[in-house]
Amino acid sequence: MTRQLTGSPADTAQAVPAPQRRERWSGRTRRDFFVFLALALPNLALIAVFTYLPLINNMYYSTLDWTLGSTSATVVGFDNYVNFFTSSDAPQVLGTTLIFTVVTVGGSMVLGLLVALALNAKVRGTTFARSAVFAPYVLSGVGVGLVWLFIFDPGYGVLSWLLRGIGQQSPQWINDPQLSLVMVIIVYVWKNLGYCAVVYLAGLQSLPKDVMEAASLDGANGFRRFMSISVPLLSPTTFFLLITTMISSLQAFDLIRIMTPLGNGTSTLIYEAYLQAFGAYNRAGYSAAISVVLFAILLIITVLQLRFVERKVHYS
């Protein structure tokens, strides 16, 4: 049996309340929006003025044949890029950049993880040890470079004195291009492994203890627990350090400038850009092109890491 509605259509319309139109901008929403603008706009303005505007200007300068200090310049398009990639120095500069970045990033992360494991032990003096390990990271790169120059100096350095004590002659760390790169890498890793150690230490202390205890009860030894549990759970920390240390290594300048002012065997991309602009060449446009190449490499590496490496990260 079908039940019929009684009443006129007007009565039915009055019985069903019409949906109320929601106000788009309430007072609280408008107030929150203006608070957001007040807090964000100064930061966005600073980033735009001191980061993006210089980047855009540098891209424009890279298309010029411009001598630093000159009031005139000639537009050459992509000639600076062609000259760089076809020059005899490009393979050496790119190779030095690759070696320096891979060794410093890998060395800092591996040694930092080992140091973090030692600092994570519950023994006396760990607080002082953590401070001592992290201290070089916050020191001035200029000061660190000067101290290590004294250590590596083949004539009167501390290392030379120790080697003479055992009847050995000190290598020419500063004059030999290959050894000068090794010297700078050693100092850079020493200065930055404290950063990796502290970050890894924070990751180790955040690992779930119940999982470790369960693995220990199942008979897994310390090495097995580290490789099968700690390393996978530390993958977010490793991913974070991989990005930050790689960006830092590609932009390393102060130690190279102090320890090898002429870039003898240590001319990475950023230091080659400095030498071309402020050295004997005064080629500002060519230097800007090298800087754009470095920016492109940084951008590609970061995108590839976010696109492919992050897939292997296990977030708990």
Side-chain angles (χ1 to χ4, degrees):
M1 180 175 180
T2 305
R3 184 176 181 182
Q4 304 224 351
L5 294 174
T6 59
S8 64
D11 296 337
T12 305
Q14 291 178 359
V16 179
Q20 296 181 357
R21 187 173 182 179
R22 193 173 179 181
E23 189 179 355
R24 184 176 181 183
W25 288 92
S26 64
R28 181 174 181 178
T29 303
R30 189 180 298 108
R31 183 175 63 253
D32 292 343
F33 176 73
F34 285 119
V35 170
F36 165 75
L37 288 181
L39 296 175
L41 280 181
N43 295 322
L44 295 176
L46 290 174
I47 292 174
V49 172
F50 293 102
T51 300
Y52 294 110
L53 182 60
L55 176 61
I56 295 173
N57 288 336
N58 189 76
M59 291 179 178
Y60 169 69
Y61 296 148
S62 68
T63 63
L64 303 177
D65 182 10
W66 176 38
T67 301
L68 191 66
S70 176
T71 57
S72 61
T74 304
V75 178
V76 294
F78 294 100
D79 285 357
N80 287 324
Y81 297 95
V82 175
N83 293 336
F84 171 71
F85 285 108
T86 57
S87 66
S88 58
D89 295 332
Q92 181 181 358
V93 172
L94 294 173
T96 301
T97 304
L98 177 63
I99 294 173
F100 180 83
T101 303
V102 171
V103 177
T104 54
V105 170
S108 299
M109 292 181 63
V110 172
L111 293 177
L113 178 57
L114 295 178
V115 172
L117 290 172
L119 296 178
N120 197 36
K122 296 181 180 179
V123 295
R124 296 182 60 181
T126 54
T127 302
F128 173 77
R130 293 170 185 174
S131 302
V133 167
F134 188 71
Y137 178 71
V138 298
L139 295 177
S140 168
V142 175
V144 169
L146 291 174
V147 171
W148 278 92
L149 267 181
F150 174 73
I151 295 174
F152 279 107
D153 189 276
Y156 55 85
V158 176
L159 183 59
S160 174
W161 177 76
L162 292 174
L163 291 175
R164 285 197 301 268
I166 58 176
Q168 300 293 325
Q169 188 176 3
S170 175
Q172 296 295 319
W173 295 99
I174 301 174
N175 299 323
D176 191 330
Q178 294 182 349
L179 292 180
S180 61
L181 180 59
V182 174
M183 174 183 67
V184 174
I185 288 175
I186 291 173
V187 179
Y188 189 87
V189 171
W190 174 84
K191 185 179 185 302
N192 291 274
L193 70 87
Y195 167 73
C196 296
V198 169
V199 176
Y200 267 129
L201 179 61
L204 288 172
Q205 292 181 344
S206 65
L207 295 180
K209 295 182 180 180
D210 53 347
V211 177
M212 294 294 183
E213 293 175 355
S216 179
L217 293 175
D218 288 341
N221 55 26
F223 180 77
R224 182 65 180 274
R225 292 198 302 271
F226 173 73
M227 296 301 298
S228 300
I229 300 176
S230 298
V231 171
L233 292 178
L234 285 174
S235 57
T237 305
T238 302
F239 179 66
F240 168 78
L241 286 174
L242 183 62
I243 293 179
T244 56
T245 55
M246 187 170 294
I247 293 175
S248 177
S249 293
L250 285 171
Q251 299 181 87
F253 176 80
D254 48 3
L255 286 176
I256 299 176
R257 175 67 180 86
I258 294 300
M259 302 189 73
T260 56
L262 300 178
N264 187 23
T266 59
S267 290
T268 58
L269 276 170
I270 191 169
Y271 198 66
E272 182 68 14
Y274 166 79
L275 291 176
Q276 291 293 334
F278 301 99
Y281 306 100
N282 292 332
R283 303 168 66 186
Y286 187 75
S287 171
I290 298 176
S291 300
V292 173
V293 171
L294 176 60
F295 168 75
I297 292 175
L298 283 169
L299 181 62
I300 292 172
I301 290 176
T302 303
V303 171
L304 290 177
Q305 286 177 332
L306 294 175
R307 181 68 177 84
F308 298 104
V309 180
E310 193 178 16
R311 291 182 177 181
K312 301 182 181 297
V313 176
H314 303 280
Y315 295 101
S316 57

